PDB file of all heavy atoms in Angstrom:
ATOM      1  N   THR A   7       5.400 145.554 -47.954  1.00  0.00           N
ATOM      2  CA  THR A   7       4.660 145.941 -46.758  1.00  0.00           C
ATOM      3  C   THR A   7       3.804 144.788 -46.259  1.00  0.00           C
ATOM      4  O   THR A   7       3.744 144.526 -45.059  1.00  0.00           O
ATOM      5  CB  THR A   7       3.766 147.163 -47.062  1.00  0.00           C
ATOM      6  OG1 THR A   7       4.596 148.218 -47.561  1.00  0.00           O
ATOM      7  CG2 THR A   7       3.056 147.635 -45.812  1.00  0.00           C
ATOM      8  N   ALA A  20       4.554 134.712 -30.246  1.00  0.00           N
ATOM      9  CA  ALA A  20       5.749 134.161 -29.611  1.00  0.00           C
ATOM     10  C   ALA A  20       6.284 135.116 -28.551  1.00  0.00           C
ATOM     11  O   ALA A  20       6.741 134.699 -27.494  1.00  0.00           O
ATOM     12  CB  ALA A  20       6.814 133.876 -30.657  1.00  0.00           C
ATOM     13  N   PRO A  32      14.535 141.340 -10.675  1.00  0.00           N
ATOM     14  CA  PRO A  32      14.629 142.353  -9.628  1.00  0.00           C
ATOM     15  C   PRO A  32      15.786 143.316  -9.882  1.00  0.00           C
ATOM     16  O   PRO A  32      16.842 142.918 -10.360  1.00  0.00           O
ATOM     17  CB  PRO A  32      14.869 141.538  -8.354  1.00  0.00           C
ATOM     18  CG  PRO A  32      15.361 140.220  -8.801  1.00  0.00           C
ATOM     19  CD  PRO A  32      14.820 139.999 -10.183  1.00  0.00           C
ATOM     20  N   ASN A  33      15.576 144.588  -9.550  1.00  0.00           N
ATOM     21  CA  ASN A  33      16.612 145.593  -9.677  1.00  0.00           C
ATOM     22  C   ASN A  33      17.441 145.570  -8.398  1.00  0.00           C
ATOM     23  O   ASN A  33      17.073 146.164  -7.394  1.00  0.00           O
ATOM     24  CB  ASN A  33      16.004 146.976  -9.896  1.00  0.00           C
ATOM     25  CG  ASN A  33      17.071 148.049  -9.997  1.00  0.00           C
ATOM     26  OD1 ASN A  33      18.261 147.763 -10.045  1.00  0.00           O
ATOM     27  ND2 ASN A  33      16.640 149.298 -10.022  1.00  0.00           N
ATOM     28  N   SER A  36      19.521 148.772  -6.434  1.00  0.00           N
ATOM     29  CA  SER A  36      18.907 149.595  -5.392  1.00  0.00           C
ATOM     30  C   SER A  36      19.139 149.016  -4.002  1.00  0.00           C
ATOM     31  O   SER A  36      18.874 149.669  -3.004  1.00  0.00           O
ATOM     32  CB  SER A  36      17.412 149.749  -5.657  1.00  0.00           C
ATOM     33  OG  SER A  36      16.772 148.485  -5.532  1.00  0.00           O
ATOM     34  N   TYR A  38      22.088 148.301  -2.741  1.00  0.00           N
ATOM     35  CA  TYR A  38      23.430 148.632  -2.275  1.00  0.00           C
ATOM     36  C   TYR A  38      23.396 149.324  -0.912  1.00  0.00           C
ATOM     37  O   TYR A  38      24.256 149.092  -0.067  1.00  0.00           O
ATOM     38  CB  TYR A  38      24.156 149.509  -3.294  1.00  0.00           C
ATOM     39  CG  TYR A  38      25.597 149.766  -2.914  1.00  0.00           C
ATOM     40  CD1 TYR A  38      26.567 148.798  -3.134  1.00  0.00           C
ATOM     41  CD2 TYR A  38      25.975 150.961  -2.316  1.00  0.00           C
ATOM     42  CE1 TYR A  38      27.890 149.013  -2.769  1.00  0.00           C
ATOM     43  CE2 TYR A  38      27.289 151.181  -1.955  1.00  0.00           C
ATOM     44  CZ  TYR A  38      28.244 150.210  -2.180  1.00  0.00           C
ATOM     45  OH  TYR A  38      29.545 150.422  -1.809  1.00  0.00           O
ATOM     46  N   GLY A  40      21.355 148.731   1.379  1.00  0.00           N
ATOM     47  CA  GLY A  40      20.799 147.804   2.368  1.00  0.00           C
ATOM     48  C   GLY A  40      19.306 147.896   2.536  1.00  0.00           C
ATOM     49  O   GLY A  40      18.739 147.237   3.397  1.00  0.00           O
ATOM     50  N   CYS A  42      15.804 147.506   0.386  1.00  0.00           N
ATOM     51  CA  CYS A  42      15.106 147.197  -0.850  1.00  0.00           C
ATOM     52  C   CYS A  42      14.142 146.035  -0.609  1.00  0.00           C
ATOM     53  O   CYS A  42      14.249 145.324   0.383  1.00  0.00           O
ATOM     54  CB  CYS A  42      16.079 146.838  -1.974  1.00  0.00           C
ATOM     55  SG  CYS A  42      17.068 145.365  -1.654  1.00  0.00           S
ATOM     56  N   THR A  43      13.205 145.870  -1.517  1.00  0.00           N
ATOM     57  CA  THR A  43      12.269 144.749  -1.505  1.00  0.00           C
ATOM     58  C   THR A  43      12.243 144.177  -2.910  1.00  0.00           C
ATOM     59  O   THR A  43      12.160 144.925  -3.884  1.00  0.00           O
ATOM     60  CB  THR A  43      10.859 145.217  -1.112  1.00  0.00           C
ATOM     61  OG1 THR A  43      10.924 145.828   0.181  1.00  0.00           O
ATOM     62  CG2 THR A  43       9.874 144.064  -1.083  1.00  0.00           C
ATOM     63  N   PRO A  49      18.199 131.913  -7.488  1.00  0.00           N
ATOM     64  CA  PRO A  49      19.147 132.540  -6.568  1.00  0.00           C
ATOM     65  C   PRO A  49      19.710 133.837  -7.158  1.00  0.00           C
ATOM     66  O   PRO A  49      19.982 133.913  -8.361  1.00  0.00           O
ATOM     67  CB  PRO A  49      20.255 131.497  -6.430  1.00  0.00           C
ATOM     68  CG  PRO A  49      19.601 130.202  -6.761  1.00  0.00           C
ATOM     69  CD  PRO A  49      18.562 130.522  -7.791  1.00  0.00           C
ATOM     70  N   VAL A  50      19.851 134.861  -6.309  1.00  0.00           N
ATOM     71  CA  VAL A  50      20.381 136.146  -6.744  1.00  0.00           C
ATOM     72  C   VAL A  50      21.490 136.583  -5.786  1.00  0.00           C
ATOM     73  O   VAL A  50      21.477 136.241  -4.612  1.00  0.00           O
ATOM     74  CB  VAL A  50      19.296 137.239  -6.818  1.00  0.00           C
ATOM     75  CG1 VAL A  50      18.264 136.920  -7.871  1.00  0.00           C
ATOM     76  CG2 VAL A  50      18.620 137.438  -5.468  1.00  0.00           C
ATOM     77  N   SER A  51      22.442 137.324  -6.314  1.00  0.00           N
ATOM     78  CA  SER A  51      23.531 137.890  -5.515  1.00  0.00           C
ATOM     79  C   SER A  51      23.634 139.365  -5.821  1.00  0.00           C
ATOM     80  O   SER A  51      23.394 139.789  -6.951  1.00  0.00           O
ATOM     81  CB  SER A  51      24.860 137.215  -5.857  1.00  0.00           C
ATOM     82  OG  SER A  51      24.827 135.860  -5.512  1.00  0.00           O
ATOM     83  N   PHE A  52      24.008 140.140  -4.816  1.00  0.00           N
ATOM     84  CA  PHE A  52      24.194 141.567  -5.013  1.00  0.00           C
ATOM     85  C   PHE A  52      25.173 142.099  -3.978  1.00  0.00           C
ATOM     86  O   PHE A  52      25.415 141.485  -2.950  1.00  0.00           O
ATOM     87  CB  PHE A  52      22.863 142.331  -4.961  1.00  0.00           C
ATOM     88  CG  PHE A  52      22.092 142.123  -3.685  1.00  0.00           C
ATOM     89  CD1 PHE A  52      22.235 142.995  -2.616  1.00  0.00           C
ATOM     90  CD2 PHE A  52      21.213 141.065  -3.557  1.00  0.00           C
ATOM     91  CE1 PHE A  52      21.524 142.806  -1.449  1.00  0.00           C
ATOM     92  CE2 PHE A  52      20.484 140.869  -2.392  1.00  0.00           C
ATOM     93  CZ  PHE A  52      20.646 141.746  -1.332  1.00  0.00           C
ATOM     94  N   VAL A  54      26.516 145.046  -1.270  1.00  0.00           N
ATOM     95  CA  VAL A  54      26.002 146.065  -0.350  1.00  0.00           C
ATOM     96  C   VAL A  54      27.172 146.906   0.140  1.00  0.00           C
ATOM     97  O   VAL A  54      28.333 146.531   0.002  1.00  0.00           O
ATOM     98  CB  VAL A  54      25.257 145.441   0.853  1.00  0.00           C
ATOM     99  CG1 VAL A  54      23.979 144.763   0.401  1.00  0.00           C
ATOM    100  CG2 VAL A  54      26.131 144.488   1.623  1.00  0.00           C
ATOM    101  N   SER A  55      26.837 148.017   0.731  1.00  0.00           N
ATOM    102  CA  SER A  55      27.833 148.931   1.263  1.00  0.00           C
ATOM    103  C   SER A  55      28.687 148.236   2.324  1.00  0.00           C
ATOM    104  O   SER A  55      28.200 147.401   3.088  1.00  0.00           O
ATOM    105  CB  SER A  55      27.125 150.137   1.874  1.00  0.00           C
ATOM    106  OG  SER A  55      28.035 150.948   2.582  1.00  0.00           O
ATOM    107  N   THR A  57      29.563 149.269   5.029  1.00  0.00           N
ATOM    108  CA  THR A  57      29.118 149.580   6.390  1.00  0.00           C
ATOM    109  C   THR A  57      28.403 148.402   7.043  1.00  0.00           C
ATOM    110  O   THR A  57      28.269 148.374   8.259  1.00  0.00           O
ATOM    111  CB  THR A  57      28.173 150.799   6.413  1.00  0.00           C
ATOM    112  OG1 THR A  57      27.043 150.514   5.578  1.00  0.00           O
ATOM    113  CG2 THR A  57      28.866 152.037   5.901  1.00  0.00           C
ATOM    114  N   GLY A  59      29.540 145.337   6.915  1.00  0.00           N
ATOM    115  CA  GLY A  59      30.532 144.321   7.242  1.00  0.00           C
ATOM    116  C   GLY A  59      30.741 143.305   6.144  1.00  0.00           C
ATOM    117  O   GLY A  59      31.844 142.862   5.915  1.00  0.00           O
ATOM    118  N   SER A  60      29.719 142.914   5.462  1.00  0.00           N
ATOM    119  CA  SER A  60      29.813 141.960   4.354  1.00  0.00           C
ATOM    120  C   SER A  60      29.622 142.712   3.056  1.00  0.00           C
ATOM    121  O   SER A  60      28.879 143.674   2.991  1.00  0.00           O
ATOM    122  CB  SER A  60      28.749 140.874   4.491  1.00  0.00           C
ATOM    123  OG  SER A  60      28.955 140.166   5.675  1.00  0.00           O
ATOM    124  N   ARG A  61      30.293 142.270   2.040  1.00  0.00           N
ATOM    125  CA  ARG A  61      30.206 142.973   0.765  1.00  0.00           C
ATOM    126  C   ARG A  61      29.236 142.341  -0.221  1.00  0.00           C
ATOM    127  O   ARG A  61      28.732 143.004  -1.088  1.00  0.00           O
ATOM    128  CB  ARG A  61      31.592 143.037   0.126  1.00  0.00           C
ATOM    129  CG  ARG A  61      32.587 143.802   0.934  1.00  0.00           C
ATOM    130  CD  ARG A  61      32.312 145.273   0.936  1.00  0.00           C
ATOM    131  NE  ARG A  61      32.496 145.766  -0.417  1.00  0.00           N
ATOM    132  CZ  ARG A  61      31.975 146.879  -0.872  1.00  0.00           C
ATOM    133  NH1 ARG A  61      31.254 147.625  -0.109  1.00  0.00           N
ATOM    134  NH2 ARG A  61      32.175 147.266  -2.101  1.00  0.00           N
ATOM    135  N   ILE A  63      25.841 139.662  -0.814  1.00  0.00           N
ATOM    136  CA  ILE A  63      24.703 138.947  -0.247  1.00  0.00           C
ATOM    137  C   ILE A  63      24.170 137.998  -1.319  1.00  0.00           C
ATOM    138  O   ILE A  63      24.032 138.378  -2.477  1.00  0.00           O
ATOM    139  CB  ILE A  63      23.578 139.923   0.170  1.00  0.00           C
ATOM    140  CG1 ILE A  63      24.107 141.010   1.108  1.00  0.00           C
ATOM    141  CG2 ILE A  63      22.406 139.182   0.772  1.00  0.00           C
ATOM    142  CD1 ILE A  63      24.587 140.511   2.433  1.00  0.00           C
ATOM    143  N   ALA A  70      10.499 124.507  -0.397  1.00  0.00           N
ATOM    144  CA  ALA A  70       9.229 125.181  -0.675  1.00  0.00           C
ATOM    145  C   ALA A  70       8.813 126.166   0.418  1.00  0.00           C
ATOM    146  O   ALA A  70       7.932 126.984   0.207  1.00  0.00           O
ATOM    147  CB  ALA A  70       8.122 124.145  -0.866  1.00  0.00           C
ATOM    148  N   VAL A  75      19.682 133.360   3.302  1.00  0.00           N
ATOM    149  CA  VAL A  75      20.400 134.607   3.058  1.00  0.00           C
ATOM    150  C   VAL A  75      21.821 134.382   3.551  1.00  0.00           C
ATOM    151  O   VAL A  75      22.036 134.064   4.721  1.00  0.00           O
ATOM    152  CB  VAL A  75      19.751 135.791   3.792  1.00  0.00           C
ATOM    153  CG1 VAL A  75      20.528 137.071   3.542  1.00  0.00           C
ATOM    154  CG2 VAL A  75      18.297 135.959   3.371  1.00  0.00           C
ATOM    155  N   SER A  79      32.460 138.036   2.664  1.00  0.00           N
ATOM    156  CA  SER A  79      33.357 139.178   2.729  1.00  0.00           C
ATOM    157  C   SER A  79      34.770 138.679   2.490  1.00  0.00           C
ATOM    158  O   SER A  79      35.176 137.666   3.051  1.00  0.00           O
ATOM    159  CB  SER A  79      33.254 139.855   4.094  1.00  0.00           C
ATOM    160  OG  SER A  79      34.096 140.971   4.144  1.00  0.00           O
ATOM    161  N   LEU A  88      41.514 136.449   3.244  1.00  0.00           N
ATOM    162  CA  LEU A  88      40.612 135.800   4.190  1.00  0.00           C
ATOM    163  C   LEU A  88      39.177 135.970   3.719  1.00  0.00           C
ATOM    164  O   LEU A  88      38.749 137.075   3.417  1.00  0.00           O
ATOM    165  CB  LEU A  88      40.759 136.409   5.587  1.00  0.00           C
ATOM    166  CG  LEU A  88      42.125 136.283   6.243  1.00  0.00           C
ATOM    167  CD1 LEU A  88      42.140 137.029   7.560  1.00  0.00           C
ATOM    168  CD2 LEU A  88      42.461 134.815   6.463  1.00  0.00           C
ATOM    169  N   GLY A  92      28.486 134.220   6.646  1.00  0.00           N
ATOM    170  CA  GLY A  92      27.495 133.648   7.535  1.00  0.00           C
ATOM    171  C   GLY A  92      26.204 133.459   6.776  1.00  0.00           C
ATOM    172  O   GLY A  92      26.091 133.847   5.619  1.00  0.00           O
ATOM    173  N   VAL A 111      11.445 137.943   5.494  1.00  0.00           N
ATOM    174  CA  VAL A 111      10.898 137.154   4.396  1.00  0.00           C
ATOM    175  C   VAL A 111       9.398 137.444   4.356  1.00  0.00           C
ATOM    176  O   VAL A 111       8.664 137.090   5.283  1.00  0.00           O
ATOM    177  CB  VAL A 111      11.167 135.648   4.589  1.00  0.00           C
ATOM    178  CG1 VAL A 111      10.542 134.853   3.461  1.00  0.00           C
ATOM    179  CG2 VAL A 111      12.662 135.383   4.683  1.00  0.00           C
ATOM    180  N   ILE A 121      11.373 139.203  -0.415  1.00  0.00           N
ATOM    181  CA  ILE A 121      12.157 139.535   0.775  1.00  0.00           C
ATOM    182  C   ILE A 121      12.353 141.042   0.837  1.00  0.00           C
ATOM    183  O   ILE A 121      12.430 141.712  -0.198  1.00  0.00           O
ATOM    184  CB  ILE A 121      13.500 138.776   0.753  1.00  0.00           C
ATOM    185  CG1 ILE A 121      14.220 138.888   2.084  1.00  0.00           C
ATOM    186  CG2 ILE A 121      14.370 139.234  -0.397  1.00  0.00           C
ATOM    187  CD1 ILE A 121      15.349 137.888   2.238  1.00  0.00           C
ATOM    188  N   PHE A 123      14.814 143.953   2.628  1.00  0.00           N
ATOM    189  CA  PHE A 123      15.993 144.322   3.409  1.00  0.00           C
ATOM    190  C   PHE A 123      15.749 145.714   3.980  1.00  0.00           C
ATOM    191  O   PHE A 123      15.354 146.624   3.250  1.00  0.00           O
ATOM    192  CB  PHE A 123      17.238 144.305   2.527  1.00  0.00           C
ATOM    193  CG  PHE A 123      17.714 142.921   2.201  1.00  0.00           C
ATOM    194  CD1 PHE A 123      17.206 142.238   1.110  1.00  0.00           C
ATOM    195  CD2 PHE A 123      18.633 142.293   3.023  1.00  0.00           C
ATOM    196  CE1 PHE A 123      17.620 140.951   0.829  1.00  0.00           C
ATOM    197  CE2 PHE A 123      19.056 141.000   2.743  1.00  0.00           C
ATOM    198  CZ  PHE A 123      18.550 140.324   1.650  1.00  0.00           C
ATOM    199  N   GLY A 125      18.082 147.371   6.079  1.00  0.00           N
ATOM    200  CA  GLY A 125      19.327 148.049   6.456  1.00  0.00           C
ATOM    201  C   GLY A 125      19.846 147.611   7.798  1.00  0.00           C
ATOM    202  O   GLY A 125      19.390 146.762   8.465  1.00  0.00           O
TER     203      GLY A 125
END
Side-chain angles (χ1 to χ4, degrees):
T7 304
N33 179 8
S36 66
Y38 186 79
C42 62
T43 302
V50 295
S51 296
F52 57 93
V54 293
S55 171
T57 59
S60 298
R61 297 289 294 159
I63 306 295
V75 179
S79 181
L88 298 175
V111 178
I121 191 165
F123 285 87

